[in-house]
Amino acid sequence: RLSWWIQWKHLPRGEVIIMALNPKVPLLKELEEEYVQLTNSKKEMIDPAGVLKGKTIAFYFTSSTCVPCRTFVKKLEAVWQALKTSGKEFEVVLVSQDYEEKGFNDYVSHSKFYAIPFEEADLRKDLRKRWYVKSWPWVVITDDTGKVLNPKGNNQLLVGPEKFPFQTPLVQKYTDIAPMSLSLQVCFIAFIKMEKSVKPVIQELEALAPQNPDIVFAYHIEDEKWSSTERKMAAKMRKFAKLKDNGDAMVIIDVVGRVSHNRSGLAAGTLTKFVQDYNSGALIQQIGRGQLTPQEDKDDGKIYDYDLFIIGGGSGGLACSKAAAEAGVKVAVADFVRPSPSGTTWGLGGTCVNVGCIPKKLCHTAALLGESLHDARKYGWKVDEKTPHIWETLITNVQKHIESLNEGYEDQLKDKNVEYINAFASFVNPHAVQLKYGWGKDAK
């Protein structure tokens, strides 16, 4: 329902940001195509276009059991009423996260806002995931097309109606950055050691923000009083950005591309220079996390065995090879498992499938079933207390399941005309790969 799938891999950064905040199809049109209606305290069914078209919309995530919401909603109602009185085009839509219909009905019966009906549980869940809503009360501000104006507008709303249409501030505190922004947008964060240094930094950031609308600008004051959670957030970001100490520093973070850049110091003009270098591509050599400096794709006139050669048949290698093959590329995948000291090896699929998540979860399920058998007697089930567990049966069936997955992956590669090579591969030069079949003295 209302799937806004974002395809990143072939898009420039600016286009990724646009797709992150803008739906592929206008919200009201998608609601119409899915026959979604709104409801209210009178249990009426209301056409969304009739009450939301042309308006700024606050999607209010809450539940009947949310204690902080009881104070927040009073302030939200006051802002909503003030804007209505002044003739502003503003509406609130309640997105309840109640799992029980009684709680939902009781809550909506006292609400002044429109609401997404309880029956639209999938839609309510999808909206929460789409906009990275992590708790409630939480308000996402959009226009009537579904374009996100503020992925977490709580603070702007609480200031009052004068902040309408409650867009994301040009510069904000790091701890106020919405998860959606951190996950999908490029973020510039200034870490300031002393509070007395804040004013000139904020002024320079405020000058940069209008010129760089696709970047989220924020700051963090180290010596300010923070909760333990907020301190952990800052420490985690410093670690991701590879900052070595708590001194003045600035970072540019692109979580989508797993890219981070950092510079020490916050002298006047250095923030502007940092952004200019980022936009011009001058920071490309600093990219880490497996990123490579872009190289021009030149046709040298030679004919090669493959257009794309992938080393590693795990989740990433398999997905990449099949996607490339569908685009008409001639692909090969080399995958090899170096035997353990005891000679253990496994098939195609990578660590997770063979010796990681899958067998672990199957064994965990076996343990849970054993515990359930023990508890079942208390619920009236006649279960033999001496019911044995046969370890050999479990391991045999787990291994059979994994082998079936291995075979399935090989079949998928064959169906896509991807050549699978069970050999240890290593690059000799940019256009040549050495293959070693087997391991140890018998390898060829």
PDB file of all heavy atoms in Angstrom, residues 149-179:
ATOM      1  N   LEU A 149       7.740  18.552   4.727  1.00  0.00           N
ATOM      2  CA  LEU A 149       8.259  19.877   5.066  1.00  0.00           C
ATOM      3  C   LEU A 149       9.074  19.841   6.349  1.00  0.00           C
ATOM      4  O   LEU A 149      10.015  20.616   6.513  1.00  0.00           O
ATOM      5  CB  LEU A 149       7.100  20.868   5.218  1.00  0.00           C
ATOM      6  CG  LEU A 149       6.151  20.997   4.020  1.00  0.00           C
ATOM      7  CD1 LEU A 149       5.030  21.982   4.345  1.00  0.00           C
ATOM      8  CD2 LEU A 149       6.904  21.426   2.775  1.00  0.00           C
ATOM      9  N   ASN A 150       8.696  18.937   7.246  1.00  0.00           N
ATOM     10  CA  ASN A 150       9.417  18.769   8.504  1.00  0.00           C
ATOM     11  C   ASN A 150       9.153  17.350   9.011  1.00  0.00           C
ATOM     12  O   ASN A 150       8.028  17.029   9.396  1.00  0.00           O
ATOM     13  CB  ASN A 150       8.954  19.794   9.526  1.00  0.00           C
ATOM     14  CG  ASN A 150       9.864  19.854  10.746  1.00  0.00           C
ATOM     15  OD1 ASN A 150      10.536  18.888  11.075  1.00  0.00           O
ATOM     16  ND2 ASN A 150       9.873  20.989  11.420  1.00  0.00           N
ATOM     17  N   PRO A 151      10.170  16.475   8.990  1.00  0.00           N
ATOM     18  CA  PRO A 151       9.954  15.084   9.406  1.00  0.00           C
ATOM     19  C   PRO A 151       9.690  14.904  10.889  1.00  0.00           C
ATOM     20  O   PRO A 151       9.267  13.849  11.318  1.00  0.00           O
ATOM     21  CB  PRO A 151      11.243  14.376   8.977  1.00  0.00           C
ATOM     22  CG  PRO A 151      12.267  15.453   8.890  1.00  0.00           C
ATOM     23  CD  PRO A 151      11.537  16.707   8.496  1.00  0.00           C
ATOM     24  N   LYS A 152       9.947  15.940  11.685  1.00  0.00           N
ATOM     25  CA  LYS A 152       9.531  15.932  13.093  1.00  0.00           C
ATOM     26  C   LYS A 152       9.277  17.368  13.506  1.00  0.00           C
ATOM     27  O   LYS A 152      10.181  18.096  13.899  1.00  0.00           O
ATOM     28  CB  LYS A 152      10.580  15.288  13.998  1.00  0.00           C
ATOM     29  CG  LYS A 152      10.050  15.091  15.419  1.00  0.00           C
ATOM     30  CD  LYS A 152      11.005  14.339  16.319  1.00  0.00           C
ATOM     31  CE  LYS A 152      10.369  14.117  17.695  1.00  0.00           C
ATOM     32  NZ  LYS A 152      11.274  13.404  18.631  1.00  0.00           N
ATOM     33  N   GLY A 153       8.004  17.763  13.437  1.00  0.00           N
ATOM     34  CA  GLY A 153       7.643  19.161  13.642  1.00  0.00           C
ATOM     35  C   GLY A 153       7.194  19.502  15.036  1.00  0.00           C
ATOM     36  O   GLY A 153       6.654  20.595  15.262  1.00  0.00           O
ATOM     37  N   ASN A 154       7.414  18.611  16.002  1.00  0.00           N
ATOM     38  CA  ASN A 154       6.946  18.859  17.373  1.00  0.00           C
ATOM     39  C   ASN A 154       7.411  20.195  17.928  1.00  0.00           C
ATOM     40  O   ASN A 154       6.607  21.000  18.419  1.00  0.00           O
ATOM     41  CB  ASN A 154       7.434  17.742  18.301  1.00  0.00           C
ATOM     42  CG  ASN A 154       6.881  16.384  17.943  1.00  0.00           C
ATOM     43  OD1 ASN A 154       6.795  16.038  16.767  1.00  0.00           O
ATOM     44  ND2 ASN A 154       6.527  15.591  18.937  1.00  0.00           N
ATOM     45  N   ASN A 155       8.711  20.455  17.865  1.00  0.00           N
ATOM     46  CA  ASN A 155       9.260  21.672  18.474  1.00  0.00           C
ATOM     47  C   ASN A 155       8.722  22.935  17.810  1.00  0.00           C
ATOM     48  O   ASN A 155       8.406  23.926  18.497  1.00  0.00           O
ATOM     49  CB  ASN A 155      10.786  21.656  18.397  1.00  0.00           C
ATOM     50  CG  ASN A 155      11.394  20.607  19.304  1.00  0.00           C
ATOM     51  OD1 ASN A 155      10.738  20.111  20.220  1.00  0.00           O
ATOM     52  ND2 ASN A 155      12.641  20.241  19.044  1.00  0.00           N
ATOM     53  N   GLN A 156       8.624  22.918  16.484  1.00  0.00           N
ATOM     54  CA  GLN A 156       8.116  24.090  15.768  1.00  0.00           C
ATOM     55  C   GLN A 156       6.653  24.345  16.121  1.00  0.00           C
ATOM     56  O   GLN A 156       6.236  25.494  16.287  1.00  0.00           O
ATOM     57  CB  GLN A 156       8.266  23.889  14.262  1.00  0.00           C
ATOM     58  CG  GLN A 156       9.706  23.840  13.760  1.00  0.00           C
ATOM     59  CD  GLN A 156      10.407  25.177  13.915  1.00  0.00           C
ATOM     60  OE1 GLN A 156      11.032  25.436  14.936  1.00  0.00           O
ATOM     61  NE2 GLN A 156      10.315  26.017  12.907  1.00  0.00           N
ATOM     62  N   LEU A 157       5.864  23.292  16.248  1.00  0.00           N
ATOM     63  CA  LEU A 157       4.459  23.445  16.618  1.00  0.00           C
ATOM     64  C   LEU A 157       4.307  24.017  18.025  1.00  0.00           C
ATOM     65  O   LEU A 157       3.443  24.863  18.279  1.00  0.00           O
ATOM     66  CB  LEU A 157       3.742  22.093  16.533  1.00  0.00           C
ATOM     67  CG  LEU A 157       3.258  21.673  15.145  1.00  0.00           C
ATOM     68  CD1 LEU A 157       2.964  20.184  15.115  1.00  0.00           C
ATOM     69  CD2 LEU A 157       2.004  22.458  14.773  1.00  0.00           C
ATOM     70  N   LEU A 158       5.156  23.561  18.934  1.00  0.00           N
ATOM     71  CA  LEU A 158       5.036  24.000  20.318  1.00  0.00           C
ATOM     72  C   LEU A 158       5.391  25.472  20.498  1.00  0.00           C
ATOM     73  O   LEU A 158       4.948  26.107  21.462  1.00  0.00           O
ATOM     74  CB  LEU A 158       5.929  23.140  21.217  1.00  0.00           C
ATOM     75  CG  LEU A 158       5.479  21.680  21.384  1.00  0.00           C
ATOM     76  CD1 LEU A 158       6.476  20.907  22.227  1.00  0.00           C
ATOM     77  CD2 LEU A 158       4.084  21.600  21.999  1.00  0.00           C
ATOM     78  N   VAL A 159       6.187  26.031  19.574  1.00  0.00           N
ATOM     79  CA  VAL A 159       6.494  27.466  19.642  1.00  0.00           C
ATOM     80  C   VAL A 159       5.225  28.279  19.470  1.00  0.00           C
ATOM     81  O   VAL A 159       5.020  29.305  20.123  1.00  0.00           O
ATOM     82  CB  VAL A 159       7.537  27.852  18.564  1.00  0.00           C
ATOM     83  CG1 VAL A 159       7.703  29.368  18.506  1.00  0.00           C
ATOM     84  CG2 VAL A 159       8.868  27.178  18.856  1.00  0.00           C
ATOM     85  N   GLY A 160       4.346  27.812  18.560  1.00  0.00           N
ATOM     86  CA  GLY A 160       3.081  28.508  18.365  1.00  0.00           C
ATOM     87  C   GLY A 160       2.732  28.704  16.912  1.00  0.00           C
ATOM     88  O   GLY A 160       3.518  28.375  16.004  1.00  0.00           O
ATOM     89  N   PRO A 161       1.548  29.247  16.635  1.00  0.00           N
ATOM     90  CA  PRO A 161       1.076  29.416  15.252  1.00  0.00           C
ATOM     91  C   PRO A 161       1.942  30.338  14.417  1.00  0.00           C
ATOM     92  O   PRO A 161       1.899  30.281  13.188  1.00  0.00           O
ATOM     93  CB  PRO A 161      -0.334  29.985  15.429  1.00  0.00           C
ATOM     94  CG  PRO A 161      -0.361  30.554  16.814  1.00  0.00           C
ATOM     95  CD  PRO A 161       0.543  29.703  17.618  1.00  0.00           C
ATOM     96  N   GLU A 162       2.745  31.177  15.054  1.00  0.00           N
ATOM     97  CA  GLU A 162       3.596  32.109  14.292  1.00  0.00           C
ATOM     98  C   GLU A 162       4.671  31.367  13.492  1.00  0.00           C
ATOM     99  O   GLU A 162       5.278  31.942  12.583  1.00  0.00           O
ATOM    100  CB  GLU A 162       4.247  33.128  15.231  1.00  0.00           C
ATOM    101  CG  GLU A 162       5.175  32.545  16.274  1.00  0.00           C
ATOM    102  CD  GLU A 162       4.457  32.194  17.571  1.00  0.00           C
ATOM    103  OE1 GLU A 162       3.222  32.018  17.541  1.00  0.00           O
ATOM    104  OE2 GLU A 162       5.143  32.107  18.603  1.00  0.00           O
ATOM    105  N   LYS A 163       4.913  30.092  13.805  1.00  0.00           N
ATOM    106  CA  LYS A 163       5.917  29.317  13.076  1.00  0.00           C
ATOM    107  C   LYS A 163       5.327  28.613  11.843  1.00  0.00           C
ATOM    108  O   LYS A 163       6.045  27.922  11.122  1.00  0.00           O
ATOM    109  CB  LYS A 163       6.540  28.264  13.997  1.00  0.00           C
ATOM    110  CG  LYS A 163       7.545  28.824  14.997  1.00  0.00           C
ATOM    111  CD  LYS A 163       8.794  29.314  14.292  1.00  0.00           C
ATOM    112  CE  LYS A 163       9.839  29.817  15.263  1.00  0.00           C
ATOM    113  NZ  LYS A 163      11.073  30.261  14.582  1.00  0.00           N
ATOM    114  N   PHE A 164       4.052  28.786  11.600  1.00  0.00           N
ATOM    115  CA  PHE A 164       3.411  28.173  10.426  1.00  0.00           C
ATOM    116  C   PHE A 164       4.164  28.556   9.148  1.00  0.00           C
ATOM    117  O   PHE A 164       4.549  29.718   9.000  1.00  0.00           O
ATOM    118  CB  PHE A 164       1.952  28.643  10.339  1.00  0.00           C
ATOM    119  CG  PHE A 164       1.194  28.090   9.167  1.00  0.00           C
ATOM    120  CD1 PHE A 164       0.642  26.828   9.219  1.00  0.00           C
ATOM    121  CD2 PHE A 164       1.046  28.846   7.990  1.00  0.00           C
ATOM    122  CE1 PHE A 164      -0.060  26.327   8.131  1.00  0.00           C
ATOM    123  CE2 PHE A 164       0.358  28.340   6.911  1.00  0.00           C
ATOM    124  CZ  PHE A 164      -0.194  27.088   6.978  1.00  0.00           C
ATOM    125  N   PRO A 165       4.466  27.617   8.217  1.00  0.00           N
ATOM    126  CA  PRO A 165       3.977  26.231   8.116  1.00  0.00           C
ATOM    127  C   PRO A 165       4.873  25.190   8.782  1.00  0.00           C
ATOM    128  O   PRO A 165       4.879  24.026   8.361  1.00  0.00           O
ATOM    129  CB  PRO A 165       3.921  26.017   6.607  1.00  0.00           C
ATOM    130  CG  PRO A 165       5.061  26.810   6.082  1.00  0.00           C
ATOM    131  CD  PRO A 165       5.154  28.026   6.959  1.00  0.00           C
ATOM    132  N   PHE A 166       5.633  25.559   9.794  1.00  0.00           N
ATOM    133  CA  PHE A 166       6.358  24.623  10.657  1.00  0.00           C
ATOM    134  C   PHE A 166       7.434  23.820   9.920  1.00  0.00           C
ATOM    135  O   PHE A 166       7.652  22.642  10.199  1.00  0.00           O
ATOM    136  CB  PHE A 166       5.381  23.663  11.345  1.00  0.00           C
ATOM    137  CG  PHE A 166       4.210  24.362  11.968  1.00  0.00           C
ATOM    138  CD1 PHE A 166       2.927  24.189  11.461  1.00  0.00           C
ATOM    139  CD2 PHE A 166       4.385  25.229  13.040  1.00  0.00           C
ATOM    140  CE1 PHE A 166       1.839  24.836  12.021  1.00  0.00           C
ATOM    141  CE2 PHE A 166       3.301  25.893  13.613  1.00  0.00           C
ATOM    142  CZ  PHE A 166       2.021  25.696  13.098  1.00  0.00           C
ATOM    143  N   GLN A 167       8.106  24.463   8.976  1.00  0.00           N
ATOM    144  CA  GLN A 167       9.163  23.776   8.253  1.00  0.00           C
ATOM    145  C   GLN A 167      10.394  23.567   9.134  1.00  0.00           C
ATOM    146  O   GLN A 167      10.564  24.229  10.156  1.00  0.00           O
ATOM    147  CB  GLN A 167       9.550  24.575   7.004  1.00  0.00           C
ATOM    148  CG  GLN A 167       8.442  24.595   5.945  1.00  0.00           C
ATOM    149  CD  GLN A 167       8.826  25.416   4.736  1.00  0.00           C
ATOM    150  OE1 GLN A 167       9.025  26.620   4.833  1.00  0.00           O
ATOM    151  NE2 GLN A 167       8.919  24.771   3.584  1.00  0.00           N
ATOM    152  N   THR A 168      11.254  22.646   8.715  1.00  0.00           N
ATOM    153  CA  THR A 168      12.486  22.382   9.455  1.00  0.00           C
ATOM    154  C   THR A 168      13.318  23.662   9.557  1.00  0.00           C
ATOM    155  O   THR A 168      13.502  24.351   8.553  1.00  0.00           O
ATOM    156  CB  THR A 168      13.308  21.294   8.738  1.00  0.00           C
ATOM    157  OG1 THR A 168      12.504  20.118   8.587  1.00  0.00           O
ATOM    158  CG2 THR A 168      14.561  20.954   9.535  1.00  0.00           C
ATOM    159  N   PRO A 169      13.822  24.010  10.739  1.00  0.00           N
ATOM    160  CA  PRO A 169      14.648  25.223  10.875  1.00  0.00           C
ATOM    161  C   PRO A 169      15.887  25.157   9.980  1.00  0.00           C
ATOM    162  O   PRO A 169      16.396  24.072   9.686  1.00  0.00           O
ATOM    163  CB  PRO A 169      15.044  25.205  12.353  1.00  0.00           C
ATOM    164  CG  PRO A 169      14.046  24.329  13.026  1.00  0.00           C
ATOM    165  CD  PRO A 169      13.646  23.305  12.020  1.00  0.00           C
ATOM    166  N   LEU A 170      16.375  26.319   9.570  1.00  0.00           N
ATOM    167  CA  LEU A 170      17.581  26.353   8.736  1.00  0.00           C
ATOM    168  C   LEU A 170      18.750  25.706   9.469  1.00  0.00           C
ATOM    169  O   LEU A 170      19.556  24.990   8.872  1.00  0.00           O
ATOM    170  CB  LEU A 170      17.926  27.797   8.366  1.00  0.00           C
ATOM    171  CG  LEU A 170      16.982  28.503   7.391  1.00  0.00           C
ATOM    172  CD1 LEU A 170      17.408  29.951   7.215  1.00  0.00           C
ATOM    173  CD2 LEU A 170      16.951  27.782   6.052  1.00  0.00           C
ATOM    174  N   VAL A 171      18.854  25.983  10.774  1.00  0.00           N
ATOM    175  CA  VAL A 171      19.913  25.405  11.609  1.00  0.00           C
ATOM    176  C   VAL A 171      19.256  24.883  12.882  1.00  0.00           C
ATOM    177  O   VAL A 171      18.423  25.566  13.479  1.00  0.00           O
ATOM    178  CB  VAL A 171      20.991  26.450  11.956  1.00  0.00           C
ATOM    179  CG1 VAL A 171      22.061  25.820  12.840  1.00  0.00           C
ATOM    180  CG2 VAL A 171      21.610  27.033  10.694  1.00  0.00           C
ATOM    181  N   GLN A 172      19.626  23.686  13.296  1.00  0.00           N
ATOM    182  CA  GLN A 172      19.011  23.096  14.474  1.00  0.00           C
ATOM    183  C   GLN A 172      20.058  22.386  15.333  1.00  0.00           C
ATOM    184  O   GLN A 172      21.192  22.158  14.895  1.00  0.00           O
ATOM    185  CB  GLN A 172      17.923  22.100  14.065  1.00  0.00           C
ATOM    186  CG  GLN A 172      18.413  20.994  13.136  1.00  0.00           C
ATOM    187  CD  GLN A 172      17.280  20.182  12.546  1.00  0.00           C
ATOM    188  OE1 GLN A 172      16.408  19.700  13.259  1.00  0.00           O
ATOM    189  NE2 GLN A 172      17.290  20.029  11.232  1.00  0.00           N
ATOM    190  N   LYS A 173      19.670  22.063  16.547  1.00  0.00           N
ATOM    191  CA  LYS A 173      20.562  21.282  17.397  1.00  0.00           C
ATOM    192  C   LYS A 173      20.656  19.860  16.841  1.00  0.00           C
ATOM    193  O   LYS A 173      19.675  19.320  16.317  1.00  0.00           O
ATOM    194  CB  LYS A 173      20.042  21.252  18.830  1.00  0.00           C
ATOM    195  CG  LYS A 173      20.140  22.586  19.551  1.00  0.00           C
ATOM    196  CD  LYS A 173      19.720  22.453  21.004  1.00  0.00           C
ATOM    197  CE  LYS A 173      19.883  23.777  21.745  1.00  0.00           C
ATOM    198  NZ  LYS A 173      19.489  23.667  23.171  1.00  0.00           N
ATOM    199  N   TYR A 174      21.815  19.250  17.006  1.00  0.00           N
ATOM    200  CA  TYR A 174      22.016  17.903  16.469  1.00  0.00           C
ATOM    201  C   TYR A 174      20.988  16.923  17.020  1.00  0.00           C
ATOM    202  O   TYR A 174      20.456  16.082  16.290  1.00  0.00           O
ATOM    203  CB  TYR A 174      23.435  17.412  16.793  1.00  0.00           C
ATOM    204  CG  TYR A 174      23.601  15.928  16.589  1.00  0.00           C
ATOM    205  CD1 TYR A 174      23.452  15.360  15.327  1.00  0.00           C
ATOM    206  CD2 TYR A 174      23.878  15.087  17.664  1.00  0.00           C
ATOM    207  CE1 TYR A 174      23.575  13.993  15.139  1.00  0.00           C
ATOM    208  CE2 TYR A 174      24.006  13.722  17.482  1.00  0.00           C
ATOM    209  CZ  TYR A 174      23.856  13.184  16.221  1.00  0.00           C
ATOM    210  OH  TYR A 174      23.966  11.830  16.037  1.00  0.00           O
ATOM    211  N   THR A 175      20.688  17.021  18.309  1.00  0.00           N
ATOM    212  CA  THR A 175      19.747  16.078  18.920  1.00  0.00           C
ATOM    213  C   THR A 175      18.317  16.276  18.436  1.00  0.00           C
ATOM    214  O   THR A 175      17.449  15.443  18.715  1.00  0.00           O
ATOM    215  CB  THR A 175      19.791  16.210  20.454  1.00  0.00           C
ATOM    216  OG1 THR A 175      19.614  17.584  20.812  1.00  0.00           O
ATOM    217  CG2 THR A 175      21.110  15.711  20.997  1.00  0.00           C
ATOM    218  N   ASP A 176      18.060  17.381  17.710  1.00  0.00           N
ATOM    219  CA  ASP A 176      16.724  17.624  17.165  1.00  0.00           C
ATOM    220  C   ASP A 176      16.571  17.118  15.733  1.00  0.00           C
ATOM    221  O   ASP A 176      15.462  17.148  15.179  1.00  0.00           O
ATOM    222  CB  ASP A 176      16.389  19.122  17.199  1.00  0.00           C
ATOM    223  CG  ASP A 176      16.171  19.637  18.613  1.00  0.00           C
ATOM    224  OD1 ASP A 176      15.853  18.815  19.490  1.00  0.00           O
ATOM    225  OD2 ASP A 176      16.332  20.854  18.836  1.00  0.00           O
ATOM    226  N   ILE A 177      17.658  16.682  15.122  1.00  0.00           N
ATOM    227  CA  ILE A 177      17.566  16.187  13.743  1.00  0.00           C
ATOM    228  C   ILE A 177      16.682  14.941  13.721  1.00  0.00           C
ATOM    229  O   ILE A 177      16.885  14.004  14.503  1.00  0.00           O
ATOM    230  CB  ILE A 177      18.942  15.839  13.159  1.00  0.00           C
ATOM    231  CG1 ILE A 177      19.854  17.065  13.146  1.00  0.00           C
ATOM    232  CG2 ILE A 177      18.808  15.308  11.740  1.00  0.00           C
ATOM    233  CD1 ILE A 177      21.251  16.778  12.617  1.00  0.00           C
ATOM    234  N   ALA A 178      15.715  14.920  12.832  1.00  0.00           N
ATOM    235  CA  ALA A 178      14.809  13.784  12.731  1.00  0.00           C
ATOM    236  C   ALA A 178      15.539  12.572  12.149  1.00  0.00           C
ATOM    237  O   ALA A 178      16.429  12.718  11.308  1.00  0.00           O
ATOM    238  CB  ALA A 178      13.613  14.135  11.846  1.00  0.00           C
ATOM    239  N   PRO A 179      15.173  11.367  12.580  1.00  0.00           N
ATOM    240  CA  PRO A 179      15.790  10.158  12.026  1.00  0.00           C
ATOM    241  C   PRO A 179      15.690  10.073  10.508  1.00  0.00           C
ATOM    242  O   PRO A 179      16.598   9.567   9.852  1.00  0.00           O
ATOM    243  CB  PRO A 179      14.991   9.027  12.702  1.00  0.00           C
ATOM    244  CG  PRO A 179      14.524   9.620  13.987  1.00  0.00           C
ATOM    245  CD  PRO A 179      14.241  11.060  13.675  1.00  0.00           C
TER     246      PRO A 179
END
